[in-house]
Amino acid sequence: MATEQETRPTEVTMEEIVALCKRRGFVFPSSEIYGGLGSTYDYGHYGVLLKNNVKAEWWRAMLQERDDIVALDSAILQHPRVWEASGHLEGFTDPLVQCLGKCKKRWREDHLREAVEAEGGDPDAELRCPQCGGELSEPRQFNLMFETHVGPVADEGSTVYLRPETAQGIFINFKNVLSFARKKPPFGIAQVGKSFRNEITPGNFIFRTREFEQMEMEYFVPPAEAQKWHQHWMAERERWYTELGIRPDHLRVRAHGEDELSHYSSATSDIEYLFPIGWSELEGIADRGDFDLTQHAKFSGEKLEYFDQQTKERYVPHVIEPAAGADRATLAFLVDSYEVEEVEGRQRTVLRLHPRLAPVKVAVLPLVSKDGLPEKAREIFQDLRRRLPTEFDEGGSIGKRYRRQDEIGTPWGITVDHQTMDDDTVTLRDRDSLEQVRVPIEGLGDELVGRLEAPWRTPKLD
Ligand code: ATP
């Protein structure tokens, strides 16, 4: 659960991030020509590339860098019994209160209580509408699942739900995966995909929306090893964010109190990030025990357990779940990399993204659009694009083009000038150090791929 009300100033405001995203076409409000649909967003070109890179890095950490996890892509629509078994039909609720005063706004009561507590107040005595100060209704539990119908007749038997998490698709496939993956606990099943929640108070840009993408992995372990693996995954997931450039002092781990735990969890720790709205959940790492497999075994009549051939032991594995949001992670990477600085008397906005996350890795820029420079630059571009996401840009002054690339976080710029025509060298500009070096065209691809694969540390720490 997020503590959105607990604020602490950061260098960048949410408004600045929203403005950059709109200006450069990363993310913009959905259905805008119809006046928008509250808190839904569309991703434009650079936003798609950035979020794809975030997801690719997650897959890399789950699949390529280890050999104990397999991938899955399950359906969004599932049998309605899934949500009965999982407890979502009954328990996936948030406490809703409505202002009885002037504004009639709806709020999440738990968030309001946290805000009062953060100020040192007593939520039992002081809970009022934050907008108009009005009295609040008694809380009622509001189910967050979106309901829809399959087939042409909308009756009770046709009700299905848009999945509110990707995890259940993994549990119901436990047996399938076990039969083909040749894995034994500890092993994991990873999935990335859309989830839907009818949030009472969506907002803060793509931090909380009603339709979002999750990156979830269910790690099945022998029961006695659950605690050890919980610790392991907390450390691993924190490392993932910092290796991709998030400053360690903008991350913290917070263990859930007893009263906060979800119905399925015996222990959960959140990795929180210092968003412009304050410390808020970025990812939850839960010990789900044997709750899900036991429930689905009970409701489906299938045995969901593991039989160890060697020890002849039969058991229901426990589950450790790192559950991250692709959109929330993308927002965190945007916030953490954003910087405005003065360069030679002019302001520049730069996204100091990890090169692997950057939507475009290299921009090829002819200094002028004459004397054969654009053609030469295009040749270089054609060559580089086979190996790296590359952009060709010949419009506007060179300074303006650098600014544009800085704003989308492109780590390297190649400038083709008159000297290039004589000696087949170009200028290679570094986004962060602003260093410009003369390098031969030959071997440029190898040089850039080498830089992309080298360990990287955010210059914000220097
Ligand atoms: P919160 O307390 O913020 O509502 P949660 O604890 O309900 O989150 P989980 O069920 O643990 O969230 O989901 C795992 C991750 O999915 C979250 O850490 C977050 O990154 C992402 N996520 C959850 N709900 C949303 C949402 N409405 N919009 C965007 N991302 C979300």
Side-chain angles (χ1 to χ4, degrees):
M1 192 185 311
T3 51
E4 283 157 67
Q5 289 81 6
E6 192 191 329
T7 51
R8 199 177 104 179
T10 51
E11 311 92 322
V12 54
T13 63
M14 198 67 103
E15 290 71 30
E16 284 170 298
I17 293 292
V18 172
L20 173 76
C21 283
K22 181 103 206 268
R23 186 163 75 242
R24 291 294 172 210
F26 280 88
V27 183
F28 26 81
S30 178
S31 312
E32 231 180 346
I33 62 167
Y34 290 101
L37 174 68
S39 300
T40 56
Y41 291 92
D42 295 340
Y43 282 70
H45 183 68
Y46 296 123
V48 172
L49 298 181
L50 174 59
K51 187 156 70 142
N52 276 350
N53 291 342
V54 170
K55 291 184 283 183
E57 285 304 318
W58 189 86
W59 279 121
R60 178 212 282 261
M62 292 295 161
L63 302 183
Q64 196 176 322
E65 290 174 1
R66 22 196 326 147
D67 57 7
D68 54 354
I69 299 177
V70 295
L72 181 79
D73 187 1
S74 70
I76 286 174
L77 299 179
Q78 293 159 24
H79 195 289
R81 293 272 283 167
V82 169
W83 307 111
E84 252 178 83
S86 70
H88 281 80
L89 213 47
E90 201 160 309
F92 193 55
T93 54
D94 279 335
L96 164 74
V97 286
Q98 186 163 16
C99 171
L100 301 173
K102 251 194 275 164
C103 77
K104 308 283 182 253
K105 246 189 114 159
R106 295 189 175 94
W107 304 94
R108 253 177 80 168
E109 193 213 19
D110 52 337
H111 282 172
L112 299 188
R113 296 181 77 89
E114 278 167 31
V116 172
E117 267 162 9
E119 299 283 309
D122 173 9
D124 288 325
E126 298 168 30
L127 222 54
R128 314 282 300 185
C129 172
Q131 179 123 326
C132 71
E135 251 187 77
L136 295 168
S137 69
E138 283 299 307
R140 81 181 161 86
Q141 293 303 321
F142 173 76
N143 196 299
L144 301 182
M145 283 202 293
F146 276 103
E147 219 178 278
T148 186
H149 292 272
V150 286
V153 184
D155 57 21
E156 220 176 86
S158 69
T159 304
V160 291
Y161 303 92
L162 301 187
R163 67 179 177 199
E165 61 175 27
T166 64
Q168 297 306 320
I170 295 178
F171 298 126
I172 60 175
N173 277 297
F174 175 75
K175 217 176 153 183
N176 272 339
V177 174
L178 208 55
S179 67
F180 68 71
R182 296 177 26 242
K183 296 275 183 234
K184 56 179 282 193
F187 81 99
I189 306 177
Q191 163 153 248
V192 173
K194 284 250 164 133
S195 293
F196 303 82
R197 295 180 188 178
N198 200 1
E199 298 276 3
I200 297 169
T201 48
N204 292 316
F205 195 34
I206 51 173
F207 178 85
R208 186 183 301 286
T209 49
R210 295 194 169 107
E211 172 183 347
F212 55 97
E213 264 186 293
Q214 288 189 305
M215 310 185 286
E216 296 194 298
M217 195 276 292
E218 308 304 320
Y219 200 69
F220 300 91
V221 303
E225 295 178 17
Q227 228 181 353
K228 176 182 102 182
W229 286 109
H230 193 213
Q231 296 298 323
H232 169 89
W233 280 108
M234 285 192 321
E236 274 303 288
R237 294 304 302 148
E238 219 182 335
R239 189 172 65 83
W240 184 81
Y241 288 105
T242 52
E243 279 191 5
L244 286 171
I246 300 268
R247 285 161 291 172
D249 64 342
H250 283 211
L251 280 182
R252 72 178 187 191
V253 172
R254 192 183 64 85
H256 279 208
E258 281 286 316
D259 55 336
E260 258 185 277
L261 290 174
S262 311
H263 60 275
Y264 52 75
S265 174
S266 51
T268 295
S269 290
D270 288 344
I271 296 181
E272 295 188 336
Y273 175 70
L274 187 54
F275 286 96
I277 51 172
W279 287 103
S280 310
E281 174 177 338
L282 184 54
E283 167 160 354
I285 297 151
D287 178 347
R288 297 180 77 125
D290 63 2
F291 177 83
D292 304 273
L293 290 181
T294 306
Q295 283 294 99
H296 286 301
K298 199 160 102 192
F299 278 69
S300 68
E302 289 281 347
K303 273 203 176 113
L304 301 177
E305 52 193 24
Y306 178 74
F307 179 64
D308 190 325
Q309 299 283 359
Q310 271 160 1
T311 63
K312 305 291 174 221
E313 201 192 346
R314 189 180 290 283
Y315 63 90
V316 180
H318 282 210
V319 172
I320 305 301
E321 173 198 71
D327 310 271
R328 232 179 245 191
T330 300
L331 179 61
F333 287 119
L334 281 167
V335 167
D336 216 73
S337 65
Y338 185 98
E339 197 153 75
V340 179
E341 62 174 13
E342 192 100 352
V343 178
E344 289 162 7
R346 291 182 60 185
Q347 234 190 26
R348 77 158 181 162
T349 302
V350 55
L351 289 184
R352 300 192 189 282
L353 288 168
H354 189 296
R356 290 210 306 265
L357 292 180
V360 176
K361 311 303 180 203
V362 54
V364 182
L365 318 166
L367 190 63
V368 289
S369 14
K370 57 181 186 184
D371 304 333
L373 266 56
E375 292 73 21
K376 184 77 179 171
R378 211 165 249 291
E379 265 173 44
I380 297 169
F381 164 65
Q382 299 292 13
D383 193 43
L384 287 180
R385 74 194 297 198
R386 288 187 290 118
R387 305 188 59 188
L388 296 147
T390 310
E391 201 166 273
F392 179 79
D393 187 1
E394 58 179 330
S397 76
I398 191 76
K400 228 177 177 173
R401 282 180 276 163
Y402 280 148
R403 298 289 169 273
R404 188 154 59 215
Q405 295 298 333
D406 287 342
E407 280 205 349
I408 62 166
T410 306
W412 303 295
I414 301 288
T415 312
V416 174
D417 55 21
H418 287 100
Q419 190 183 330
T420 310
M421 309 305 276
D422 295 334
D423 65 2
D424 272 337
T425 63
V426 289
T427 308
L428 172 54
R429 173 189 184 263
D430 183 275
R431 174 196 71 198
D432 298 322
S433 66
L434 289 173
E435 190 189 34
Q436 303 205 20
V437 289
R438 201 83 208 168
V439 292
I441 295 172
E442 202 185 330
L444 194 53
D446 288 340
E447 165 69 26
L448 292 171
V449 169
R451 286 185 180 209
L452 186 61
E453 283 170 0
W456 187 86
R457 166 189 152 94
T458 173
K460 284 191 160 190
L461 287 174
D462 297 331

